[in-house]
Amino acid sequence: MRKAAAMETGTKYKSKIDRAFYIKVLVTLLLGIGLLVFYFIFRNVIVGILGTWMFVALLLIFLPEYRSTYYIIRDNGLLVKNGLFDKVTILYRQMMEVAEEQGEARHGSSKVALSKDRLYIRYRVKKKEYWMAISPENKEQFLEEIQEKRIAMPNRKLMNKT
């Protein structure tokens, strides 16, 4: 008997994708085709390797980003999935701010956004502050739902004081 894969529960938002992403993919594809054509005509090994790596980049970087970048608002936090292996959960109690403009990051920032129309999440992990840029398709609905979940989540510090 097979074990059922754990389903991702919550509201799922796909990432908005700009034209710039498609242009990068198209340029990589055309460059790869051009390099491979050059290789087959002139038998230059280095050019053949470069052309092959362009297709590898398409298959291993751009395609997984395109297919697997999404955000799931769960009961306890926000799951951010980017590509094949990058998966981060930000708990609501770690979130300090969700804004449309980025402030200054003290320890680093990451971009899981495929669009320039972004939201920025400032969160704290072990006394270090980070920024994460995301780009959900329906930004207004995403903001409403995340604010509702953050308000509904009790603050641990307040609970320990009583």
Side-chain angles (χ1 to χ4, degrees), residues 60-120:
L60 295 180
I61 297 171
F62 293 120
L63 186 61
E65 271 190 359
Y66 175 74
R67 303 267 308 149
S68 303
T69 299
Y70 57 86
Y71 321 104
I72 298 178
I73 297 179
R74 295 177 161 174
D75 290 334
N76 63 341
L78 173 67
L79 173 73
V80 179
K81 175 88 167 71
N82 182 31
L84 292 175
F85 307 110
D86 194 15
K87 194 183 249 189
V88 175
T89 299
I90 303 172
L91 301 176
Y92 295 123
R93 67 172 187 250
Q94 295 173 324
M95 288 183 193
M96 300 168 65
E97 179 182 3
V98 180
E100 294 193 40
E101 293 190 18
Q102 182 179 8
E104 188 175 318
R106 293 188 183 167
H107 290 282
S109 63
S110 62
K111 293 179 184 156
V112 187
L114 301 179
S115 170
K116 292 184 181 176
D117 186 19
R118 298 178 176 162
L119 290 175
Y120 298 93

Side-chain angles (χ1 to χ4, degrees), residues 5 18 20 22 38 45 47 52 54-55 63 67 73 83 99 102 109 112 123 135-136 142-143 150 152:
D18 275 350
Y22 293 116
F38 186 86
V45 175
V47 172
T52 304
M54 292 291 176
F55 285 109
L63 186 61
R67 303 267 308 149
I73 297 179
Q102 182 179 8
S109 63
V112 187
Y123 62 102
S135 59
F142 179 88
L143 277 171
R150 287 181 65 207

Side-chain angles (χ1 to χ4, degrees), residues 24-40:
K24 288 178 200 175
V25 171
L26 184 64
V27 166
T28 305
L29 178 68
L30 293 176
L31 198 57
I33 290 170
L35 289 171
L36 287 177
V37 167
F38 186 86
Y39 166 73
F40 287 121

